[in-house]
Amino acid sequence: MSFLTKIFGSRNQRLIKQYQQTVRAINALEPAMEKLSDVELQAKTPEFKERLAKGEALDKLLPEAFAVCREASRRVLKMRHFDVQLIGGMTLHYGKIAEMGTGEGKTLMATLPAYLNALSGKGVHIVTVNDYLAQRDAEWMGRLYGWLGLSTGINLSQMPHDTKQGAYGSDITYGTNNEFGFDYLRDNMVYDSRERVQRGLNFAIVDEVDSILIDEARTPLIISGQAESHTDLYQKLNAVPPLLTLQVGEETPDGKGKIEVPGDYTKDEKAHQVLLTEAGHDKVEQILTRMGLLPEGASVYDSAHISLIHHLYAALRAHTLYYKDQHYVVQNNEIIIVDEFTGRLMSGRRWSDGLHQAVEAKEGVEIKAENQTLASITFQNFFRMYGKLAGMTGTADTEAYEFQQIYSLETVVIPPNRPSQRKDKQDQVYKTAEEKYGAMLKDIQECQERSQPVLVGTTSIENSELLSGLLTKHKLPHNVLNAKQHAREAEIIAQAGRPKMITIATNMAGRGTDIVLGGNVEKQIQIIEADASVGEDETQNRAQKLRDEWQALHDLVVGAGGLHIIGTERHESRRVDNQLRGRSGRQGDPGSSRFYLSLDDQLLRIFAGDRVRAIMERLKMPEGEPIEAGIVSRSIESAQRKVEARNFDIRKQLLEYDDVANDQRKVIYQQRNELLESGDVAEMIASLRQGVFTELFRGFVPEGAMEEQWDIKGLEAALAAEWQLEVPLATMLAAEPNLSDEELLERVLKAAEESYTAKVGVVGKEAFGGFERSVMLESIDRHWRDHLAALDHLRQGIHLRGYAQKNPKQEYKREAFELFGQMLDLVRNEVVRIVTTVRIQSRDEIDAAEQELAQSHISNVHYQHADFNPDAAPEDLLAPRADAEAARGQTMINALPKVGRNDACPCGSGKKYKQCHGKLA
């Protein structure tokens, strides 16, 4: 600690001290609030709204609003906010992250800033990690908001459109991060402004902020529609990986590494990659030729067969890197992804780039068609659009630097209400997994004998089931909580604190239910109250009996040492380990924790195994004896720090590249919104028409050129063929030899305008305006989708520019900007061409066409998090991975006609091919 910190305290201590002054002001208001009747207390809400309308600041209202909310909570929920919860509430109101331990009451704390900020009438979003928590918190805290005169909405997936609009119209809206993000994207795909559900992004409080803004931020949200299907190809290529062998060892330039067992492919677990060796390439080509997928003598890297190598790598990754019951589960003939951070099932999510289909082929379930991106956004860019952002979690301090760097969010560590009594014991490291499981079993049996409840944390479903089998074999009754027991989650956790209770859980983030020592009586009472067959007196008697029993059970568990936490291995992120530990020792309860590790664990094997093994051998450790030393724990923590730093680099890279697309996304969405909200688009169309025809004209009659250089015949032919405009320019020039190029341009523009006006006259301005709006929206959407695909392909190979001494990020920005300009040109040309050359039909036919246009873009839509390669190094993330060289990139190139580099581009822009679409090829 530095000399100045000793005198002035750290930034965190100074903030807490500053907030404590406000807490004293709130506490001073408490006696006055207690004296108010219910009606008087409820009348405070309209009074606050009135004061805000007159220009008073929210910060000025804070002490009174917090005091009112605390008193209302005491009356309605029978819960009074602790002083530390008031401090946490202020932290959130000022747009910071509040780190509060498990069981400190974050759900109740969030009511303070939510109530205060909802008074402005602009809406508050409370973002949770799953639908269960969103619904539970909204119903539970909604009683308090409703009593205070504010409305609460719940935003769930698969909700009817009207209900969703109503939820967003409420003062306070609870929902999941995915749903808020997808709603934003969907709102920017609608064809009528009344279809939108969101109303501005004002203030968001993010629960489990580390899970949402860090763990999930590595993968963008994607809305996709069906692309072409390659089902047969996936099934055929699924037979290839079992025919290939793994190479052990690798030759390195320094001569230290050598190939121990030659093979067809290498597997890098750290980078989560597989690569074919030279021998592997030859073998694959022979296999594919035998299967009839590759012509004799052809290479898999020929441009015509590039999709083969893409699909082959997807199959190889599915077989060698993705394991059942760890990365995914098979349920109801479907592959469902398991979230690596929370251990939850992510129904409806699919990996992209053909990986999901390859896993479906491997498991023999129905293969669904591939998808094409319609819209996408990263959580980082979505949450940065809120006017004010705040978050709360039990574990944020280890990632404070990233929160500050990416979201400009400061982390404030809130002191606990009662000091923690938990004892965290040193890690024990064993040589083998068998020894580790043996030691854990002994620890569990000892806890069982002294009636101490145990919570065992695992990092995968596979491990939790292996451990469950061991306990069953030793006749130890237990509960398993993993993605497969999703529905019983709250019930299992509520009883995890009873004497002798053993609970095995996969990743404890965002479970949202406290483990109460002696068991959660209120949960059991709720079950009795819900039973209609039990009378009121009987319900009260049974509830009282349960409460009396609970005190004895509680005292028994406290005497046995509280909840004991056992970690079966270290997670790559220190936060996830802290989340598990934090389940014990809530509100000053006693408790203990210990992690059991072996040299076979993934984290140790990849990052620290050799170092620890060397220490064990130097100390001549006997069989079955663990190493328990600070130096080992520190070396494991340093490995975790390395992984965290690497993951931060990946997320930062992702964000820097997405920022380019994000700027363009804002422009496109702004244009769409202007289109949707403008009453009349005729002016916009007129401006586009003038631009397009001027550009066309200047292609044949360059500005400042001599009359001999004018190509009037070519211009007449182009106007007639492409635009169906008969303009006798040669006749005009013959009749009036003194016509300047400007006057000729005026006549071309006039002819185009007259043709347009005649069409509007036939069907009426209103009907034609609707048609124009639909054409523009449809054209923008289609070209934006193609542009997203082009950006994807650009990004996959951009890192190679580094070899030419160029900065890949700068190159990406420059080329993405050029692509965007070309896309806008294409949209402009297409819209004007359709509107100018449209054939007038009856009003009924127009209505039908409009309807079709409005619906065509949203059939077969999927919502997903893109595949994220959890361990890919930043440079790998941007490399043109063979498994990501999607065939659609090749198709886009091959679809262009054979045109000479200096010929006019067939798109009709008037530019040379090499300066227009030739660039893309």
Side-chain angles (χ1 to χ4, degrees), residues 45-318:
T45 302
E47 181 201 311
F48 290 150
K49 285 183 174 177
E50 202 176 306
R51 282 162 62 183
L52 278 173
K54 285 178 181 166
E56 198 167 329
L58 277 177
D59 294 359
K60 191 103 181 290
L61 277 180
L62 188 145
E64 282 179 79
F66 275 28
V68 166
C69 191
R70 178 199 260 188
E71 182 57 27
S73 169
R74 197 177 62 78
R75 295 184 194 188
V76 179
L77 302 174
K78 308 286 182 280
M79 293 193 282
R80 177 187 173 276
H81 297 77
F82 300 129
D83 286 359
V84 289
Q85 285 171 306
L86 298 179
I87 292 173
M90 279 177 250
T91 306
L92 296 183
H93 168 70
Y94 293 122
K96 300 183 194 312
I97 289 173
E99 180 186 294
M100 290 177 86
T102 304
E104 290 289 320
K106 290 187 282 288
T107 309
L108 183 64
M109 171 189 80
T111 57
L112 298 164
Y115 171 67
L116 173 61
N117 285 271
L119 294 169
S120 68
K122 292 177 186 168
V124 172
H125 293 172
I126 298 184
V127 187
T128 66
V129 283
N130 60 48
D131 282 348
Y132 161 72
L133 285 179
Q135 191 144 11
R136 185 203 72 171
D137 292 356
E139 286 166 3
W140 186 16
M141 298 300 147
R143 284 162 50 207
L144 169 63
Y145 300 132
W147 193 86
L148 282 166
L150 297 176
S151 55
T152 313
I154 313 176
N155 175 29
L156 304 174
S157 53
Q158 312 297 320
M159 245 185 172
H161 186 267
D162 296 348
T163 319
K164 199 179 260 284
Q165 266 181 336
Y168 276 111
S170 305
D171 293 312
I172 295 157
T173 310
Y174 282 83
T176 64
N177 49 331
N178 292 329
E179 210 48 33
F180 284 120
F182 282 136
D183 284 337
Y184 169 74
L185 291 176
R186 280 188 290 250
D187 274 0
N188 285 290
M189 292 169 72
V190 299
Y191 272 56
D192 184 335
S193 57
R194 288 168 302 204
E195 290 293 303
R196 290 192 294 221
V197 293
Q198 286 185 346
R199 49 157 194 158
L201 303 174
N202 171 46
F203 175 45
I205 297 174
V206 183
D207 192 8
E208 302 300 342
V209 68
D210 51 341
S211 179
I212 291 174
L213 295 190
I214 289 187
D215 298 339
E216 297 206 31
R218 292 189 289 186
T219 52
L221 284 178
I222 292 175
I223 294 182
S224 55
Q226 281 195 354
E228 58 189 306
S229 175
H230 296 108
T231 307
D232 293 350
L233 194 55
Y234 285 114
Q235 281 168 338
K236 285 176 182 170
L237 288 174
N238 187 51
V240 178
L243 304 173
L244 306 177
T245 54
L246 173 66
Q247 175 176 298
V248 180
E250 204 174 344
E251 282 183 354
T252 54
D254 58 12
K256 285 183 184 171
K258 62 179 192 297
I259 296 172
E260 292 162 38
V261 181
D264 304 314
Y265 66 91
T266 58
K267 181 164 83 165
D268 183 347
E269 282 187 286
K270 194 190 276 192
H272 217 66
Q273 285 286 6
V274 280
L275 288 169
L276 286 171
T277 59
E278 279 190 43
H281 276 119
D282 296 340
K283 189 168 177 180
V284 161
E285 282 173 357
Q286 288 164 17
I287 294 169
L288 294 178
T289 306
R290 279 204 306 275
M291 288 174 136
L293 292 173
L294 196 67
E296 194 73 48
S299 160
V300 281
Y301 286 108
D302 290 347
S303 58
H305 312 299
I306 197 97
S307 68
L308 268 181
I309 195 77
H310 158 64
H311 287 65
L312 176 74
Y313 266 112
L316 199 51
R317 286 177 75 208

Side-chain angles (χ1 to χ4, degrees), residues 685-842:
I685 295 283
S687 160
L688 292 180
R689 188 172 58 243
Q690 183 163 352
V692 168
F693 279 105
T694 303
E695 204 171 285
L696 174 76
F697 181 84
R698 288 301 174 198
F700 293 92
V701 182
E703 210 165 349
M706 306 292 288
E707 207 167 314
E708 294 76 52
Q709 293 170 301
W710 294 0
D711 182 4
I712 298 298
K713 276 203 168 56
L715 179 57
E716 276 185 356
L719 287 169
E722 289 178 40
W723 304 91
Q724 292 167 21
L725 285 178
E726 299 293 340
V727 192
L729 294 171
T731 315
M732 289 177 191
L733 265 176
E736 305 172 64
N738 295 331
L739 275 178
S740 68
D741 58 344
E742 290 294 333
E743 287 167 319
L744 270 181
L745 174 58
E746 281 299 314
R747 298 199 181 181
V748 171
L749 292 174
K750 192 178 174 204
E753 193 178 341
E754 282 169 356
S755 160
Y756 168 80
T757 312
K759 285 171 185 166
V760 176
V762 175
V763 292
K765 195 173 180 181
E766 201 175 317
F768 204 76
F771 166 72
E772 287 172 324
R773 183 181 277 109
S774 286
V775 165
M776 282 184 82
L777 288 170
E778 205 274 336
S779 182
I780 287 172
D781 288 351
R782 189 155 37 80
H783 287 293
W784 174 243
R785 290 200 291 271
D786 294 345
H787 180 66
L788 286 175
L791 286 183
D792 263 356
H793 301 132
L794 172 65
R795 182 156 138 195
Q796 280 159 14
I798 202 76
H799 77 294
L800 295 170
R801 307 286 172 91
Y803 294 117
Q805 307 296 314
K806 290 179 177 176
N807 180 340
K809 282 178 202 153
Q810 288 306 114
E811 289 291 291
Y812 179 75
K813 278 182 186 172
R814 187 179 58 75
E815 294 217 10
F817 183 73
E818 282 179 22
L819 283 172
F820 188 62
Q822 288 165 15
M823 183 203 84
L824 293 178
D825 282 349
L826 285 171
V827 170
R828 193 179 62 168
N829 278 309
E830 185 177 274
V831 169
V832 174
R833 179 175 284 109
I834 292 171
V835 171
T836 307
T837 60
V838 67
R839 184 171 59 82
I840 299 297
Q841 297 173 328
S842 71

Side-chain angles (χ1 to χ4, degrees), residues 499-678:
K500 298 192 174 190
M501 191 60 87
I502 302 168
T503 311
I504 302 173
T506 311
N507 292 2
M508 293 295 299
R511 296 285 177 195
T513 308
D514 279 345
I515 297 177
V516 181
L517 300 188
N520 193 331
V521 184
E522 297 309 316
K523 198 83 191 161
Q524 289 167 286
I525 293 172
Q526 278 171 16
I527 295 166
I528 297 169
E529 285 172 348
D531 189 349
S533 61
V534 183
E536 198 173 317
D537 292 343
E538 173 72 359
T539 302
Q540 283 179 342
N541 290 339
R542 280 163 75 174
Q544 195 51 50
K545 195 175 169 205
L546 279 169
R547 285 195 181 104
D548 296 342
E549 279 173 10
W550 175 81
Q551 194 55 53
L553 292 173
H554 177 74
D555 296 343
L556 176 65
V557 171
V558 169
L563 179 68
H564 182 49
I565 303 281
I566 292 178
T568 59
E569 61 182 282
R570 288 284 203 149
H571 194 274
E572 63 174 37
S573 163
R574 286 171 297 162
R575 267 181 310 110
V576 179
D577 293 343
N578 293 342
Q579 278 162 4
L580 177 62
R581 277 208 176 106
R583 293 282 149 187
S584 174
R586 60 178 284 286
Q587 287 293 334
D589 285 340
S592 55
S593 73
R594 168 165 270 158
F595 278 82
Y596 289 87
L597 317 173
S598 82
L599 298 182
D600 301 337
D601 291 351
Q602 191 173 353
L603 186 84
L604 272 176
R605 194 180 67 239
I606 295 174
F607 290 98
D610 298 341
R611 207 177 317 154
V612 180
R613 199 182 296 274
I615 294 172
M616 283 186 151
E617 279 164 11
R618 210 171 299 140
L619 295 174
K620 298 194 169 46
M621 304 284 294
E623 200 69 33
E625 197 61 35
I627 186 167
E628 187 178 331
I631 184 171
V632 175
S633 296
R634 283 195 296 277
S635 98
I636 292 164
E637 199 164 304
S638 106
Q640 288 175 309
R641 276 205 178 91
K642 280 178 199 160
V643 182
E644 284 166 9
R646 203 154 145 277
N647 287 340
F648 171 48
D649 282 345
I650 292 171
R651 290 189 290 266
K652 202 154 182 250
Q653 288 269 30
L654 174 77
L655 184 65
E656 283 171 352
Y657 280 85
D658 189 63
D659 277 345
V660 176
N662 195 47
D663 293 339
Q664 298 177 359
R665 186 186 298 118
K666 282 178 184 167
V667 172
I668 287 292
Y669 286 175
Q670 188 186 343
Q671 287 199 345
R672 273 189 112 264
N673 290 335
E674 282 173 9
L675 260 175
L676 287 172
E677 282 155 20
S678 63

Side-chain angles (χ1 to χ4, degrees), residues 289-414:
T289 306
R290 279 204 306 275
M291 288 174 136
L293 292 173
L294 196 67
E296 194 73 48
S299 160
V300 281
Y301 286 108
D302 290 347
S303 58
H305 312 299
I306 197 97
S307 68
L308 268 181
I309 195 77
H310 158 64
H311 287 65
L312 176 74
Y313 266 112
L316 199 51
R317 286 177 75 208
H319 277 263
T320 58
L321 293 172
Y322 287 81
Y323 302 113
K324 185 177 171 181
D325 286 345
Q326 184 179 343
H327 299 102
Y328 63 89
V329 295
V330 181
Q331 271 185 10
N332 307 328
N333 200 29
E334 238 187 303
I335 299 292
I336 301 175
I337 301 172
V338 175
D339 186 322
E340 58 159 326
F341 294 101
T342 62
R344 296 173 183 282
L345 292 184
M346 305 204 286
S347 297
R349 303 271 193 92
R350 293 176 69 77
W351 287 305
S352 56
D353 278 336
L355 176 65
H356 208 98
Q357 287 80 0
V359 174
E360 285 169 335
K362 169 185 152 187
E363 295 294 343
V365 303
E366 183 200 345
I367 299 174
K368 298 196 173 101
E370 285 182 54
N371 299 325
Q372 170 197 11
T373 303
L374 305 179
S376 91
I377 193 167
T378 57
F379 278 131
Q380 289 131 316
N381 275 320
F382 173 66
F383 281 108
R384 292 196 305 185
M385 286 193 291
Y386 276 91
K388 184 162 75 177
L389 181 63
M392 51 190 186
T393 177
T395 45
D397 206 33
T398 54
E399 313 289 348
Y401 177 69
E402 179 163 352
F403 283 126
Q404 186 67 55
Q405 280 275 300
I406 290 181
Y407 303 97
S408 304
L409 283 172
E410 186 177 359
T411 303
V412 180
V413 181
I414 314 288

